[in-house]
């Protein structure tokens, strides 16, 4: 409440300032007021959600932990309602394009927070929401303060660990089995943060003996509280008569979550139907491509009669073309170099090739999950760079290395570098920080825009001649597309159509050419997330639709580079809002 009153006073001051400066136009004054509103709002938001503050590198409120009881939920709803009221009182029509987008982002974000707390109520059934360790990792490792101060903050933060986990367990009414299992796994893994390297840092720190003792005590209490939480969850799993909530959220909640998370005018049903139709289209294309490649790899050997077998056989053959584990890193580094050159030569971006983006071996603590990823510094953190992390395959067991290399063979690994690095995630992230200039876009990001962009660039690069229109690349891209489409189908099948695990496994392995291990992993992901798997294809469709509309609007003035530059200049905003601005 106090921060709200302060915000009100602050806004009034800004209004008076606007009046006294006569040269200011109406828009400037609306924008100035809004900028002040945005700052105050964001600061209050981080105070309300201190864990989110940590993830965004804000550097403030790290000592606080919100006890996850029913009060916290009510308090959050009240917070959102008050800020929505305050937002609605701003002069929307007087705002600049960028601030109109910001207005809409804040509105959707707050409405979404209310929906999660009041309708979705995942705090009652998703046990994996409760985990103190991730926040602690960043409290210790972010460069927002000297080490001694960070350790003092950590000590304060951990004071409420016991109350935190007790409240969390009480809040869980009828959890799902899948999220309990995930929570156990992640909380057990998180305990490593309180291990030897932390105790070593405490030893060499400048903390007084009393401070050190208190911190060590707080750490021990936290470890104990986490272990108790894990043990309580394990008891539920062991209870034969326990009635778990189904992980399937059902059609109604899925539709609502789809709207809030993706911010799109498409309905899930529309996206699903398109995905099913596209899957058939790509499948037919792959059949023709595989047929055309047959002679090159198998000579006169008769083609398999079964279309599935034909495609799979050619894919398997192509997969054998891959780097050695010790050369994988160099091969992907070389992609990035060539990709940067290509996008400028082909006039696809104004990209400043000197802009820092580092290719590096993936830090050990991230290793083993994905073969490569894009890593950004938190939005508020000033220091730091954009990384294309590549896992060190020489550390993999031999068999795992071989299967990973077949999956990310000479063709698929190029698409991986496009998706993760240039012009996919890393490049988009750089534009986001450099061009949009508004921290709001970097903290309230839209997953459909981000993932849609990355998959959009795969096809766009091939259309513009990357890979020299080779049949191998086309077939490999087809397999990637099937995976993107299967993501939508699996998500909807499981949550809305009640389909069985068996049918999902069959879809993945038989029809989308995934290995059994990949299919198992994807199924698991679909049971602990909802809608996220739809973000790739939904975003992709929206970007392509917008590109067509923009081309029509610009007529002879249209260029692909202009579309890309303009589109990326709005940061990671929902495509729906970018569209409104680009077509206006
Ligand atoms: Zn091999
Ligand atoms: Zn991605």
């Amino acid at each position: 409440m106090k921060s709200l009153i302060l915000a009100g006073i602050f806004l009034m001051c800004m209004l008076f300032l606007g009046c006294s400066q006569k040269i200011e136009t109406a828009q400037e004054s609306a924008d100035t007021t809004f900028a002040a509103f945005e700052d105050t709002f964001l600061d209050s938001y981080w105070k309300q959600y201190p864990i989110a503050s940590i993830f965004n590198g804000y550097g403030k409120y790290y000592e606080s932990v919100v006890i996850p009881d029913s009060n916290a939920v009510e308090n959050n709803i009240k917070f959102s309602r008050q800020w929505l009221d305050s937002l609605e009182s701003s002069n929307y029509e007087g705002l600049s394009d960028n601030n109109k987008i910001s207005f809409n982002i804040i509105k959707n974000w707050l409405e979404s927070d209310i929906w999660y707390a009041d309708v979705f109520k995942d705090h009652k059934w998703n046990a994996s929401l409760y985990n103190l360790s991730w926040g602690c990792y960043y409290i210790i490792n972010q460069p927002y303060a000297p080490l001694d101060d960070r350790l003092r903050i950590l000590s304060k933060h951990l004071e409420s660990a016991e109350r935190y986990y007790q409240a969390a367990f009480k809040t869980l009414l009828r959890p799902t089995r899948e999220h309990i299992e995930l929570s156990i796994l992640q909380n057990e893994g998180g305990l490593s943060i309180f291990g030897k390297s932390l105790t070593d840092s405490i030893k060499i720190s400048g903390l007084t003996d009393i401070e050190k003792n208190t911190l060590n005590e707080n750490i021990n209490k936290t470890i104990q509280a986490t272990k108790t939480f894990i043990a309580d969850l394990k008891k539920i799993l062991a209870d034969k008569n326990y009635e778990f909530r189904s992980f399937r959220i059902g059609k109604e909640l899925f539709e609502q979550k789809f709207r809030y998370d993706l911010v799109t005018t498409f309905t899930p049903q529309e996206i699903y139907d398109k995905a099913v139709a596209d899957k058939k289209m790509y499948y037919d294309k792959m059949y023709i491509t595989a047929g055309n490649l047959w002679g090159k790899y198998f000579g006169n050997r008769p083609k398999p009669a079964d279309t599935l077998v034909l495609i799979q056989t050619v894919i398997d053959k192509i997969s054998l073309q891959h780097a050695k584990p010790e050369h994988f890193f160099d091969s992907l580094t070389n992609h990035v170099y060539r990709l940067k050159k290509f996008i400028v030569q082909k006039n696809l971006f104004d990209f400043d090739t000197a802009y820092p983006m580092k290719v590096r071996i993936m830090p050990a603590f991230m290793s083993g999950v994905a073969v490569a990823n894009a890593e950004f510094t938190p939005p508020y953190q000033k220091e730091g760079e954009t990384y294309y992390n590549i896992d060190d395959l020489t550390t993999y067991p031999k068999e795992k290395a071989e299967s990973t290399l077949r999956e990310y063979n000479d063709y698929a690994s190029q698409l991986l570098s496009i998706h993760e690095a240039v012009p996919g995630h890393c490049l988009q992230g750089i534009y986001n920080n450099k061009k949009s200039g508004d921290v709001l876009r970097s903290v309230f990001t839209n997953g459909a825009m981000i993932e849609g962009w990355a998959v959009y660039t795969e096809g766009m690069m091939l259309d513009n001649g990357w890979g020299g229109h080779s049949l191998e690349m086309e077939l490999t891209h087809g397999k990637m597309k099937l995976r993107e489409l299967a993501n939508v189908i699996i998500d909807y099948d499981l949550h809305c159509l009640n389909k069985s695990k068996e049918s999902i496994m069959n879809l993945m392995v038989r029809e989308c050419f995934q290995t059994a291990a990949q299919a198992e992993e994807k199924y698991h992901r679909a049971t602990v997330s909802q809608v996220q798997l739809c973000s790739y294809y939904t975003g992709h469709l929206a970007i392509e639709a917008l590109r067509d509309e923009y081309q029509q609007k610009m007529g002879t003035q249209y260029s692909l580079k202009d579309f890309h530059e303009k589109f990326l200049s709005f940061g990671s905003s929902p495509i729906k809002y970018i569209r409104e601005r680009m077509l206006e």
Side-chain angles (χ1 to χ4, degrees):
M1 270 314 280
K2 205 170 123 203
S3 68
L4 281 171
I5 294 163
L6 276 176
I9 293 170
F10 190 47
L11 273 176
M12 274 168 57
C13 294
M14 293 312 297
L15 283 172
F16 282 126
L17 271 178
C19 293
S20 66
Q21 290 173 330
K22 285 180 190 121
I23 38 164
E24 240 182 18
T25 65
Q27 190 188 66
E28 271 169 331
S29 126
D31 284 333
T32 316
T33 312
F34 189 79
F37 167 85
E38 195 179 298
D39 284 348
T40 329
F41 162 69
L42 283 171
D43 188 68
S44 311
Y45 197 86
W46 305 131
K47 198 171 178 188
Q48 184 77 10
Y49 298 97
I51 299 280
S53 163
I54 298 173
F55 288 128
N56 284 290
Y58 192 54
K60 261 170 88 179
Y61 312 126
Y62 285 16
E63 64 287 345
S64 40
V65 169
V66 176
I67 304 302
D69 53 17
S70 56
N71 275 339
V73 177
E74 269 165 42
N75 196 353
N76 287 343
I77 295 175
K78 210 156 78 189
F79 174 88
S80 299
R81 293 224 165 100
Q82 275 162 343
W83 277 102
L84 272 173
D85 282 349
S86 179
L87 177 73
E88 299 288 2
S89 68
S90 38
N91 169 18
Y92 180 80
E93 284 311 323
L95 295 174
S96 67
D97 273 6
N98 262 314
N99 280 334
K100 276 183 182 148
I101 292 187
S102 299
F103 177 102
N104 286 320
I105 290 176
I106 296 174
K107 186 163 186 276
N108 181 70
W109 203 271
L110 290 170
E111 285 170 351
S112 161
D113 280 346
I114 295 175
W115 179 80
Y116 271 84
D118 209 21
V119 180
F120 197 49
K121 297 186 172 149
D122 49 342
H123 55 274
K124 289 190 176 173
W125 50 263
N126 181 354
S128 75
L129 292 176
Y130 306 111
N131 190 327
L132 280 183
S133 60
W134 295 320
C136 293
Y137 174 81
Y138 290 110
I139 292 177
I140 303 162
N141 290 301
Q142 276 176 8
Y144 60 96
L147 178 68
D148 288 358
D149 290 342
R150 282 181 271 155
L151 291 174
R152 286 185 191 109
I153 289 170
L154 179 70
S155 195
K156 272 228 176 84
H157 185 89
L158 294 181
E159 271 170 15
S160 17
E162 236 169 340
R163 280 172 57 223
Y164 172 87
Y165 277 114
Q166 277 166 8
F169 192 73
K170 240 178 105 182
T171 298
L172 287 170
L173 273 190
R174 218 184 122 211
T176 76
R177 173 190 286 282
E178 291 75 12
H179 291 96
I180 291 184
E181 286 167 350
L182 182 64
S183 182
I184 292 172
L185 197 79
Q186 292 179 335
N187 270 295
E188 277 174 346
L191 285 175
S192 66
I193 285 158
F194 306 109
K196 191 171 175 314
S197 80
L198 176 60
T199 18
D200 287 350
S201 310
I202 297 171
K203 256 181 228 154
I204 60 158
S205 73
L207 265 57
T208 65
D209 284 348
I210 298 175
E211 283 176 324
K212 284 182 186 174
N213 280 341
T214 314
L215 174 53
N216 283 321
E217 252 169 53
N218 286 338
I219 290 173
N220 287 334
K221 271 196 242 162
T222 304
I223 294 173
Q224 209 38 61
T226 313
K227 283 183 173 166
T228 307
F229 183 65
I230 293 170
D232 287 342
L233 292 179
K234 282 184 173 167
K235 260 182 231 154
I236 298 184
L237 284 186
D239 180 354
K240 294 266 179 301
N241 298 318
Y242 195 86
E243 281 190 38
F244 293 97
R245 181 193 168 100
S246 165
F247 71 83
R248 303 173 199 266
I249 65 170
K251 201 167 172 199
E252 206 183 324
L253 287 178
F254 192 90
E255 274 170 357
Q256 295 170 5
K257 191 167 195 280
F258 194 87
R259 222 168 44 228
Y260 285 117
D261 286 2
L262 303 187
V263 194
T264 169
T265 40
F266 291 118
T267 66
Q269 177 80 52
E270 281 170 330
I271 294 292
Y272 182 77
D273 292 344
K274 274 181 199 289
V276 171
D278 256 14
K279 178 168 159 284
K280 167 135 184 25
M281 190 260 290
Y282 275 97
Y283 193 80
D284 293 345
K285 262 193 179 170
M286 286 174 81
Y287 174 61
I288 295 170
T289 312
N292 290 335
L293 277 168
W294 184 263
K296 179 173 172 184
Y297 291 104
F298 298 99
N300 290 328
R301 230 175 88 182
K303 279 185 202 169
D306 185 333
T307 57
L308 285 161
V309 178
L310 171 70
I311 299 173
Q312 184 74 63
T313 311
V314 179
I315 286 179
D316 287 347
K317 191 78 180 175
I318 290 173
S319 303
L320 299 179
Q321 305 173 38
H322 64 72
K324 289 184 176 143
E326 63 271 30
H327 297 146
F328 188 69
F329 178 82
D330 286 347
S331 153
L332 269 61
T333 307
N334 184 261
H335 295 160
V336 172
Y337 171 78
R338 283 167 43 222
L339 284 164
K340 280 182 180 174
K341 245 171 90 172
F342 185 90
I343 61 170
V344 175
Q345 269 169 1
K346 289 275 175 169
N347 214 21
L348 301 173
F349 294 88
D350 272 331
F351 179 54
D352 174 2
T353 46
Y355 212 84
M357 172 200 310
K358 289 209 170 147
V359 187
R360 68 168 178 184
I361 291 278
M362 190 179 287
F365 78 92
M366 298 181 187
S367 170
V369 183
V371 67
N373 66 20
E375 187 192 347
F376 307 96
T377 46
Y380 284 102
Q381 193 177 304
K382 293 285 172 280
E383 306 125 73
E385 278 160 312
T386 302
Y387 295 109
Y388 179 32
N389 292 318
I390 299 163
D391 213 356
D392 182 0
L393 299 192
T394 62
T395 65
Y396 283 27
K398 216 172 157 209
E399 240 170 73
K400 190 184 172 194
E402 176 65 22
S403 73
T404 306
L405 284 163
R406 284 188 188 183
E407 182 66 20
Y408 294 101
N409 55 59
D410 290 348
Y411 298 97
S413 62
Q414 295 181 45
L415 295 169
L416 178 69
S417 293
I418 291 173
H419 181 109
E420 297 296 337
V422 183
H425 291 316
C426 287
L427 182 101
Q428 191 266 322
I430 286 171
Y431 271 69
N432 184 35
N433 291 338
K434 193 172 70 161
K435 298 226 167 172
S436 83
D438 192 334
V439 78
L440 188 90
R441 306 273 200 286
S442 311
V443 296
F444 296 147
T445 54
N446 180 262
M449 187 278 168
I450 293 173
E451 288 305 345
W453 172 258
V455 284
Y456 159 78
T457 62
E458 294 170 17
M460 183 275 292
M461 290 294 277
L462 298 193
D463 289 346
N464 281 280
W466 179 268
H469 302 286
S470 86
L471 293 179
E472 284 89 345
M473 189 62 103
E474 205 173 282
L475 191 66
T476 309
H477 183 236
K479 186 181 153 183
M480 298 277 217
K481 286 298 301 183
L482 288 186
R483 191 162 66 184
E484 182 188 330
L485 299 164
N487 281 346
V488 172
I489 298 171
I490 293 168
D491 207 8
Y492 196 81
D493 274 352
L494 280 177
H495 289 288
C496 305
L497 302 180
N498 220 16
K499 293 223 177 144
S500 67
K501 177 176 182 184
E502 200 190 355
S503 89
I504 302 296
M505 294 295 285
N506 195 44
L507 170 87
M508 293 292 290
V509 176
R510 286 274 298 153
E511 296 171 33
C512 298
F513 312 104
Q514 303 289 300
T515 64
Q518 287 170 326
E520 185 75 42
E521 208 176 287
K522 188 57 66 69
Y523 171 79
H524 178 251
R525 185 170 154 195
T527 63
V528 293
S529 70
Q530 320 82 20
V531 173
Q532 198 277 334
L533 282 170
C534 292
S535 62
Y536 303 78
Y537 181 63
T538 307
H540 189 175
L541 277 181
I543 293 173
E544 276 180 352
L546 172 57
R547 190 173 72 173
D548 291 347
E549 288 176 293
Y550 187 69
Q551 181 166 14
Q552 236 169 28
K553 177 192 158 191
M554 299 304 285
T556 52
Q557 310 267 51
Y558 170 83
S559 82
L560 189 53
K561 180 165 91 176
D562 170 54
F563 171 72
H564 290 156
E565 290 292 325
K566 191 105 203 246
F567 181 76
L568 291 182
S569 73
F570 294 104
S572 312
S573 312
I575 298 163
K576 185 175 148 188
Y577 304 150
I578 299 179
R579 181 179 174 275
E580 284 167 13
R581 303 274 68 84
M582 281 182 78
L583 298 182
E584 197 182 53

